[in-house]
Each structure stands twice: as C-alpha cells, then as structure tokens.
Amino acid sequence: MALPPSLTPGDRLNIIIGVTGRATTGSRKNAGSASISDVAGSAGVSLMTVSRVINGHPRVSEETRRRVLAAIRKLNYRPIRAARDLSRGRSRSVTVMTSNTTLYGRAALLQGIEEAARYAGLHTDIGILESPRPSAVEAAIERSCDPASGGVIVIAFDLAGVRALRAIPAGIPVAAAVEINNVKDSRAYPTAALDDRAAAFAATQHLLDLGHRTVHHVSIPSSTNASARLQGWRAALREARARIPEVIAGGWTPQSGYEAGQRLAADRQVTAVLCGNDDLALGVIHALRQAGRAVPDSVSVVGFDDVPSAAFYAPPLTTVRLDFVGLGHDCFALLQHAADPDSIMPEFNAAAPKLVVRETTRPPRRP
Amino acid sequence: MALPPSLTPGDRLNIIIGVTGRATTGSRKNAGSASISDVAGSAGVSLMTVSRVINGHPRVSEETRRRVLAAIRKLNYRPIRAARDLSRGRSRSVTVMTSNTTLYGRAALLQGIEEAARYAGLHTDIGILESPRPSAVEAAIERSCDPASGGVIVIAFDLAGVRALRAIPAGIPVAAAVEINNVKDSRAYPTAALDDRAAAFAATQHLLDLGHRTVHHVSIPSSTNASARLQGWRAALREARARIPEVIAGGWTPQSGYEAGQRLAADRQVTAVLCGNDDLALGVIHALRQAGRAVPDSVSVVGFDDVPSAAFYAPPLTTVRLDFVGLGHDCFALLQHAADPDSIMPEFNAAAPKLVVRETTRPPRRP
DNA sequence: GCTGAGGGTGTTAGCGTTAACACGAACGGT
DNA sequence: ACCGTTCGTGTTAACGCTAACACCCTCAGC
C-alpha cells in the first residue's frame, strides 16, 4: 500500500487508517500490529533476514535491506519489546530504584541515568521505594526487579536505598549511587559517588576561613551516622581545632530545615551553619530571619546541591554544586561494566563538587 | 579549596567483587533464575498450577497453593516479565513520556502516575522527549512506544509533549496530562488537566482586588498562544476592564524569570506580576529587587505551582497550589479507561487549584 | 578445476509464560 | 442411580522474536 502522499504526521491521528482492527496474520492476541513475519512475507524474505535488518546485522545485502526497510515502513511495523527480551534472555532496560523523585538530587540523577541509558539503546524503568521498612523494600524489589532485567541502579542515598541495594537478588547486574560510607560493605557492589566528603570539607573550611569559630550542621537523613558529609564537616573542624557542635538532624524538606533553624536561632553561639541540602538551608534561613538573626549579617549559611533556584534565593545561597547528572552517567557506565565483567572499567566523569560562594556567607560580626 | 588529604577523586569508586552468579537450572540463556517449570517440578504439580498460584487464580486448593508457594520460596523463583507480557500479548507497564523531569510539576506528576500504576500492579517506564523537534519526538516514540504497551501517558504541557501525543501510533492506549486548550483536537484524546484557567483567574483577581490597575504576566512556554493560564489572566483583566499588557515570554527556569524581571523592572507602570511558575517568580523577584523595586512594597508577584520551597522564599511566595500528584492519579485512571472502553469513566479527584496568599502581594503604593 | 573462505539467506528450536480447552472427581438435585 | 455443575488440575499451542546452525553461491588462490 502506498501511503497517501498528502499524509503528514500530524494527520495520522484523526483518521485511523486500517492499521488497527484486523490482523494480517491470524494473531488474535495482538491485533493491530504487524509482526516480523508479516514484514517477511511482504518483503519476500525470511523471518531472520528481517530480524537481521532490524538489529543492524552486517551480513545483509543492500538490496534486501532496502526491501525490508520498505516493508517495515509500509506495514508500520515495530518490534515488540517483550518478545525480543524473552528471546534474548535479557531485557533491554535499566530499572532505577529510588525514593521520592521530586527531590532535586534524585530527579537530576534519574535524568542522567535515563540519558545514558537512552544513548546506549536501553529503556528506563522506575521503581519507587515507598519507605525504608523492610517489607516495603522487599515489595519494591518483588515488583521491580525482573530476574531477566538488564540491570538495576539503586539510588542509595538514604536508608531505603541502602536496604534495597542489599536486597537485590544475585544474578542481576546492579550498580548504586551512594553517599560514600553509607553502605557498609560497599566493596560488595559497584558504586559511584560524588565526593561529598571533600564538598563538606570545603564548605566548612570556607566558613572557618571567614573567621567563624565553628560551624554548626543540619544534616539530611542518612543511613549511618558516619555519612560523608558529616565526615568532611568534622574533618575540617578538627583540622582547624574548632569545637565540634552536636549535629542537628534534619529531613529532606524546607520545613524540617525551618524547624532546625528555630533551634539554631535560639543559640547565640551559632554564627555559621552548613546544611545538608539547599532546601534545608532555605528553611534554616527563614527561621533565622524570623528570629531576628539576619543571614548573612548575623549568621552565615551554606547549602548543598546548588539547585537551579539557589542562585535566586534572597540572599543568593552559597552552596556546593553537585553534578548529579554526571553521576547518573557514571552509574550507568558502571552498570554496563557490571553486566559485562570483560568490559573495561569505565572512567568517571562526574564533575568534582564545587563550592559556589554567593551571598549567604560572610565573616562573623566583631563581638 | 583544600582536599582532605586522604581522598582523591579516583578513590570514589569501590571495588567490585563477584556478586554475580551461579545458575540454579541448566538454562544457558538465563542462568541464575529458576523458571516456572522448576517450581512445578519441585512442588510436584504442573506448570499451569504454578501459574495459577502466581496469578491468584481462585481454583487452586489450599493445600496445593501452599506447596507451590513453598517451592517458590525455596527456589527463590520470580517470574520473568518479558515472558508474561509476551504470553498475555500486552505488557503490564505504563510509559510516561515527558520532557525534563527535574521540573517540579513533571516530577510530581510522574510520582502520581507511578503511585497509581503501582497500586494497580503496573510498572512505570519513562521516555524522555529531548526536544520538540519532530525528529526527536519520532525517535522517542520509536524507542519508547512498544506496540504491546500497556499504555502511554503523555505529559503534554509543552510543545514536545503535544507533538508526542499526536504521534502516538493508533492501537496503543493513551492518555495525556494537558494544559487545557493547548491540544487543539483534545477531543481526540482522553486528557486530564488542572483548571489552570480558573487558577490564573483567581490569582489575577487577587491582585486586582488589592487595588492594582493591571497585572503583567510572565508566561511559561506553551504550545499555543491561547494557554489556559493566559486565558484566565486575560479574562480576569477583561472582567475588571483593566488594560491587558503584553505578555512577556519566559522559559522554565529562574534564570529566564530573572531576564523577564529585568525588563519588567524598567517599566515604572508595573506594580503586579503573575508568573507562569514559581521558579519564574523567584527570578522575577530577584531582578526586581536588584533594580531597587522591592517585593511586595513596590511590586506584587504571584507564582504558580506552589513548590515545596515557595513557603520559605524571602518573602514567602503567594502562589497557586496545583495538585500534580492528584492529576497523575487521574491520568492513570483515564488510561485504564482508555485501555478498556467497557469500564466506567473514572471520576477526577485532583484537588482544585487553590490560591495561597503569602507575602509577595499587597496593595499598590499610594502614588 | 578444486578447495577454502567467506557472504547472504533460510530452517529450526527454543525463550518462560499464559489462554483455551480437556478431563476426572466430587457433589447436589431429582 | 443419573445428570449437570463446579472444582481442581493437566495438556497443548501459541506469543514474537533471536541464536545457532545449515546451506548455497561466489570468488580467490593454487
């Protein structure tokens, strides 16, 4: 059938040309889409030849390839993923397991993974971890971890993720994005991480360099009490022989930062705060301001992540830029390597964390 | 910045040990996982009985069910998705097509969809639209739209989405999240939307009620020039017989809001601005402040979306709360309906947009 | 002209699961 | 005791695709 030359892609939808409805072959299950054998018939070749064309196999003559391609277009054929996956014994998709994707870091990471996967010709599935409860983690794995999966990437920034990582059944290629040190036996998994420790160290040192006696810390939830951010922060303080204040445990939201900020505001000793992420910092600053402690005049604050909005906060937030998208690429490369141990170990390309000094930090007031 | 001496970027990576593994059965393709027939053998029943147990089919005796379940646990059996999908002729997953998932609205929508899909026992795939270029859209569809797909949900807030929606091949169940009116022939697709028009109307009216002569608008990109937000804004102005200023076209980022804000700041007439989203508002406010026009003293600003941070901006942002997660649920319900036309049309449960008045709006200065 | 090495194509046998049907046993109503 | 159900289970045939091998043909090298 020749396509009516007048038909532009836009039209395709309104008029349903007899693609639907009626199978070419006697398939009742999947009416409406041509199968590889329909194409083969139409092009006058065998199944395998069509398969070879689709998969870019080299040993097909130009002439045949053209004929097959024409038939594919004519019948509007598109391969069915399940059939290919089943036949190959491995699915061509990556599953990303993560909690809450509305948080910037995870969203950016997901984007990076998807990008890399797409580039490699794989699909991306998501499996959300609803809670760190073992039963919920188990359920998520049950649901999302196909035994024939092309691979799983776990975003193990939090407890739910770490537990999920541990629970991935053997035999499935796996890689994880972690905060260094939050996975005890991290040697057991291929993991990629940004250098949070160095980032926290740099941020803390920046504050110390400005003349602050010490730096308080509002942390994001972590699966251990030895998170990399915490370590970097402590190391910088230790190196400067500064007092190491008690950590204030925050959550992931600005609201929890706000609550932490209220506690901080009450303490006149506090002149500098390092926050576990930018949202937290936003909440902290808000609480501080409400309590009459202006930022940066009375208290300096540093965030973590450099979300796109951070540069436009009032005042613009000093923070550490983290390359989540790059980390996503690295995770995917790592997964590829895990899936094929003969391949060469990939290089890591995520940018190193970078302190971005804006306007929420300055030297402490002269007493 | 001084790196803590112990840690160089190269260390980031931990080592990989042979987690991968060892086959249970003699299948060469899928080493490492037991198949349904292994379970059947172990439990002393037929294939089908195992299948029935897995799928919760009622006609299986308690005794047998128990035996099968035990065998499943013993062999650590988990079904292979591709095989089920192929056999059933439909995959048990939804594909979400969207551009950039790091934007809050899309991320929240994705989360809502995933939640609903999970609840219904389906998986969620993502297919990213890299650009609105027809070739890119086509490529995305080629990649992500399996002919046996359980369904596709298109986030058609922007041009890329709208084009993708139009290009979805017939025969695949589809539903779309749209901004009303940005899909010309929306009757042709099942669509769900939040009432952006009412939202924009309410926001504009709020500003007008405060005494502003008119309200300027910085828009998000839209696929048409008759977007619902634009319409609501215009309608409110018209009703109040206010002058309708020229729209300033913004992008999706705070940066583009900043640029729009610079133009706005130069115009002394401007006393109230409605922004297409909160990020834009943040940028606008920043530019305004830099230009010496304080918000809300000199100019009032309203955002759109109510991102979690908005309440903590300085000053806290007056904005319209949009229930993206609820919209995600609705989209999924719609898709289910599209997949099975005999089913009853679902009700929509997403919350109506709600104006949240915070501190970026107030009456205009007495001249 | 014979041999070996590919190039190009076809044939066959699954991949792991489910739909559809088949079948015997148990059971209730007459 | 007979028949029609319903229950519990098994058998068979796909589902659409690809790996593995088989085959023929051509062409180079001797």
Side-chain angles (χ1 to χ4, degrees), chain B residues 69-365:
Chain B
L69 252 18
I72 287 177
R73 251 189 304 276
K74 190 176 99 189
L75 299 179
N76 197 17
Y77 165 78
R78 277 160 51 251
I80 283 175
R81 222 192 301 173
R84 314 181 82 167
D85 287 352
L86 179 59
S87 185
R88 298 201 251 237
R90 274 275 121 184
S91 96
R92 283 270 223 252
S93 54
V94 204
T95 302
V96 179
M97 304 203 64
T98 175
S99 42
N100 195 346
T101 54
T102 63
L103 294 170
Y104 177 75
R106 291 161 167 78
L109 195 42
L110 176 62
Q111 184 177 291
I113 294 169
E114 192 281 338
E115 218 169 272
R118 171 157 30 96
Y119 190 80
L122 306 213
H123 291 264
T124 305
D125 278 24
I126 57 181
I128 300 287
L129 301 163
E130 295 157 87
S131 95
R133 282 201 327 277
S135 67
V137 169
E138 202 178 324
I141 289 193
E142 192 70 29
R143 239 185 293 115
S144 306
C145 273
D146 196 285
S149 168
V152 176
I153 293 179
V154 181
I155 302 187
F157 289 162
D158 54 9
L159 183 56
V162 172
R163 284 193 172 151
L165 180 56
R166 288 230 171 75
I168 301 290
I172 299 180
V174 62
V178 301
E179 198 193 324
I180 289 186
N181 299 320
N182 73 349
V183 178
K184 264 186 205 137
D185 42 349
S186 60
R187 251 169 305 266
Y189 313 94
T191 58
L194 297 170
D195 197 346
D196 282 18
R197 189 179 187 285
F201 189 96
T204 309
Q205 200 169 48
H206 163 63
L207 258 3
L208 259 14
D209 285 350
L210 287 173
H212 293 274
R213 284 273 179 73
T214 188
V215 175
H216 289 252
H217 182 50
V218 179
S219 69
I220 48 174
S222 176
S223 49
T224 78
N225 50 14
S227 88
R229 297 184 188 187
L230 235 38
Q231 282 187 17
W233 166 70
R234 283 213 189 88
L237 292 178
R238 210 173 303 121
E239 196 180 290
R241 297 179 197 284
R243 183 175 64 86
I244 301 187
E246 205 180 330
V247 174
I248 304 203
W252 292 104
T253 61
Q255 176 63 36
S256 75
Y258 180 73
E259 285 153 20
Q262 290 178 319
R263 292 174 53 190
L264 253 12
D267 181 353
R268 283 275 132 199
Q269 303 269 44
V270 175
T271 69
V273 183
L274 172 65
C275 300
N277 74 25
D278 291 346
D279 280 350
L280 242 30
L282 194 62
V284 165
I285 292 170
H286 191 67
L288 253 16
R289 186 190 310 114
Q290 268 192 355
R293 309 200 57 189
V295 172
D297 296 323
S298 167
V299 181
S300 287
V301 174
V302 177
F304 226 104
D305 287 0
D306 195 24
V307 301
S309 300
F312 299 90
Y313 289 168
L317 184 67
T318 294
T319 185
V320 188
R321 178 172 304 160
L322 260 28
D323 182 12
F324 287 110
V325 173
L327 181 59
H329 294 170
D330 288 347
C331 285
F332 181 77
L334 206 54
L335 179 66
Q336 293 291 76
H337 177 66
D340 173 15
D342 297 335
S343 63
I344 50 155
M345 184 66 172
E347 281 185 29
F348 289 98
N349 295 316
K354 181 165 176 299
L355 181 69
V356 182
V357 179
R358 291 198 271 247
E359 301 170 27
T360 53
T361 50
R362 75 162 58 155
R365 265 202 197 124

Side-chain angles (χ1 to χ4, degrees), chain A residues 64 96 107 226 245 315:
Chain A
T64 315
V96 179

Side-chain angles (χ1 to χ4, degrees), chain A residues 25 37 49 51 57 76 80 90 144 148 158 170-171 183 208 265 276 282 299 366:
Chain A
T25 332
S37 71
T49 302
S51 173
H57 191 100
N76 196 17
I80 283 176
R90 274 276 118 185
S144 306
D158 54 10
V183 179
L208 259 13
L282 194 62
V299 183
R366 296 257 135 251

